[in-house]
């Protein structure tokens, strides 16, 4: 167990990090991610409220549809990355990072107060639900379908329903995750979370997985970790996250930091987030954050799936093309590295055809 954002969380279980990681790729694993902040936004002005904070087009989301989006500051920096879902129950459901919970709540509550003072109809509620993530292709769908009356084959990536899961009513099932695999996140009433977890773990092919596997899986999938790969000093353009900007929002330029971000869209940023394969290190080898010329490594670990050492970081735009050779420093020793396209491991998201 390790301390993380005020929570005590499992780093790994008895199977160990390597086997847990590979099991998620080959079968499926259950992650307890109840440390994530879950909020609901109500009121007729809820979309206007959310779009005053984020870069995404929340207004275009269909009922049950969600999107990854970014909360930005006036300098174009990323305050947090979060998922916003337009539910079928007349509210927005927001899941954001535990490490940003206090900051996010302060930003949202301040904006709610501003809008309410101006006569807007919007209010915020913090959920005390637990959050369980069942991740892995192809086992996840088969395991979960056994406990659902709804047809999981009709629930596509980044879509959400409220349903009963293995006898527990009032669960929100969202087809998404942080592993690159087909998976779901289940928001479950806290008092029945243990019951649901035990039902899922009662299936032999479902293993519990901890933070270590979560981190190596997300890095193989090329996904950012807030506080490492993105923060308030990085912009969506630098981070390769311009796809989160809604087309309508780009034209309107009505999100925080729009002038800075759209200028980078036009002129191209001076640095870019890239993937790296680090050579000359024994595999597996722990890769701490380390300096790189010309740039910085922000995440790194041995890839259990590939048997190589992989990393993510920022380099000057002129050196960001895939295949470019660079040098990284690990424990005061120089090692060659090659810029590599991400994701390192192909994703298995369940997309609509």
């Amino acid at each position: 167990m390790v301390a993380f954002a005020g929570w005590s969380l499992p780093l790994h279980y008895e199977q160990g990090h390597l086997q847990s990681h590979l099991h998620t790729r080959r079968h499926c694993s259950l992650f307890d991610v109840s440390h994530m902040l879950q909020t609901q936004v109500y009121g007729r002005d809820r979309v206007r409220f959310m779009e005053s904070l984020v870069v995404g087009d929340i207004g275009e989301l269909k009922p049950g549809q969600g999107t990854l989006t970014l909360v930005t500051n006036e300098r174009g920096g990323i305050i947090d990355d979060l998922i916003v879902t337009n539910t079928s129950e007349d509210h927005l459901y927001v899941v954001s990072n535990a490490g940003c919970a206090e900051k996010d709540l302060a930003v949202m509550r301040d904006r709610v107060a501003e809008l309410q003072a101006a006569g807007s109809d919007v209010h915020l509620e913090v959920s005390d639900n637990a959050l369980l993530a069942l991740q892995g292709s192809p086992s996840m769908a088969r395991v979960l379908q056994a406990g659902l009356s709804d047809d999981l084959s009709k629930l596509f990536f980044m879509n959400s329903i409220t349903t009963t899961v293995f006898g527990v009513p009032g669960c929100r099932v969202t087809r998404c995750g942080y592993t690159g695999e087909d998976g779901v996140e289940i928001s479950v009433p806290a008092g029945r979370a243990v019951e649901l977890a035990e039902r899922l773990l009662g299936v032999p092919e479902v293993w519990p997985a901890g933070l270590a596997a979560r981190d190596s899986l997300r890095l193989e999938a090329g996904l950012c970790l807030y506080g490492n790969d993105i923060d308030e000093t990085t912009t969506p353009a630098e981070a390769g996250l311009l796809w989160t900007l809604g087309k309508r929002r780009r034209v309107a330029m009505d999100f925080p930091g729009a002038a800075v971000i759209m200028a980078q869209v036009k002129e191209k940023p001076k640095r870019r987030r890239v993937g790296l394969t680090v050579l000359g290190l024994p595999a597996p080898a722990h890769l701490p954050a380390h300096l790189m010329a010309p740039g910085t490594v922000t995440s790194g670990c041995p890839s259990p799936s590939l048997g190589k050492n992989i990393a993510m970081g920022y380099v000057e735009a002129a050196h960001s093309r895939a295949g470019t050779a660079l040098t990284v420093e690990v424990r005061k020793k120089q090692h060659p590295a090659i810029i590599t396209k991400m994701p390192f491991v192909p994703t298995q998201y369940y997309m609509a055809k």
Side-chain angles (χ1 to χ4, degrees):
M1 303 293 286
V2 295
F4 181 83
W7 298 72
S8 183
L9 297 176
L11 188 63
H12 57 79
Y13 291 85
E14 61 182 345
Q15 296 91 351
H17 166 223
L18 176 64
Q19 291 305 316
S20 181
H21 175 113
L22 294 174
H23 187 85
T24 308
R25 292 271 185 250
R26 297 166 182 168
H27 301 283
C28 70
S29 299
L30 184 67
F31 299 79
D32 182 355
V33 290
S34 302
H35 56 291
M36 304 285 279
L37 174 66
Q38 301 177 71
T39 54
Q40 290 108 18
V41 187
Y42 294 87
R44 66 175 179 273
D45 296 312
R46 60 188 181 274
V47 170
R48 185 160 69 90
F49 156 76
M50 188 55 62
E51 289 191 349
S52 74
L53 301 176
V54 304
V55 302
D57 190 340
I58 308 305
E60 74 168 359
L61 295 175
K62 299 173 183 176
Q65 185 181 18
T67 185
L68 177 73
T69 191
L70 308 171
V71 181
T72 47
N73 61 31
E74 294 300 333
R75 299 179 304 280
I78 300 170
I79 293 175
D80 197 10
D81 62 317
L82 41 79
I83 292 177
V84 179
T85 299
N86 177 26
T87 73
S88 302
E89 295 87 18
D90 296 325
H91 68 272
L92 300 176
Y93 169 61
V94 184
V95 178
S96 43
N97 289 301
C100 299
E102 291 185 10
K103 177 174 66 172
D104 287 357
L105 278 175
V107 169
M108 289 193 285
R109 284 170 171 161
D110 286 350
R111 186 58 50 86
V112 164
E114 288 176 16
L115 291 175
Q116 287 177 342
S120 294
D121 176 27
V122 60
H123 69 276
L124 187 72
E125 292 183 10
V126 177
S127 172
D128 63 356
N129 275 14
L131 194 63
L132 302 176
L134 187 66
Q135 300 282 306
S137 314
S139 300
M140 182 284 297
R142 183 172 64 256
V143 169
L144 189 62
Q145 186 61 75
L148 284 185
S149 55
D150 292 86
D151 185 355
L152 198 59
S153 70
K154 296 180 180 178
L155 186 69
F156 297 106
F157 182 62
M158 296 306 294
N159 281 266
S160 177
I161 56 171
T162 300
T163 185
T164 297
V165 184
F166 285 98
V168 180
C171 293
R172 175 165 296 282
V173 177
T174 305
R175 202 152 195 169
C176 67
Y178 198 46
T179 63
E181 296 296 322
D182 183 20
V184 294
E185 291 185 353
I186 307 169
S187 180
V188 52
R192 302 193 70 177
V194 172
E195 173 190 342
L196 179 56
E198 289 178 341
R199 285 295 302 270
L200 291 168
L201 290 171
V203 180
E205 62 192 303
V206 180
W207 287 8
L211 282 181
R214 185 171 164 84
D215 190 52
S216 54
L217 288 160
R218 70 90 191 168
L219 183 54
E220 287 185 348
L223 302 174
C224 294
L225 174 63
Y226 192 87
N228 283 44
D229 310 303
I230 51 175
D231 57 30
E232 293 192 40
T233 70
T234 54
T235 68
E238 294 170 334
L241 295 173
L242 286 176
W243 59 269
T244 62
L245 273 63
K247 292 181 181 178
R248 173 175 60 85
R249 309 300 307 282
R250 291 179 186 229
V251 175
M253 291 183 62
D254 58 351
F255 52 86
V260 174
I261 294 168
M262 294 311 296
Q264 289 188 347
V265 171
K266 185 177 181 180
E267 301 163 9
K268 308 302 180 188
K270 293 182 172 62
R271 61 174 186 154
R272 294 181 184 274
R273 180 173 63 93
V274 297
L276 294 157
T277 301
V278 183
L279 310 174
L281 277 171
H286 177 62
L287 291 180
H290 49 269
L291 296 177
M292 171 178 58
T296 306
V297 168
T298 54
S299 290
C301 73
S303 164
S305 302
L306 301 175
K308 301 176 181 178
N309 293 298
I310 60 173
M312 187 187 294
Y314 287 83
V315 300
E316 294 174 6
H319 301 276
S320 62
R321 188 183 298 273
T324 301
L326 297 172
T327 299
V328 300
E329 184 179 290
V330 183
R331 291 185 287 273
K332 299 183 179 179
K333 292 185 178 180
Q334 303 287 315
H335 295 276
I338 297 175
I339 292 183
T340 307
K341 285 185 178 181
M342 295 185 289
F344 297 98
V345 173
T347 55
Q348 303 291 330
Y349 304 131
Y350 184 72
M351 311 297 291
K353 297 177 181 176

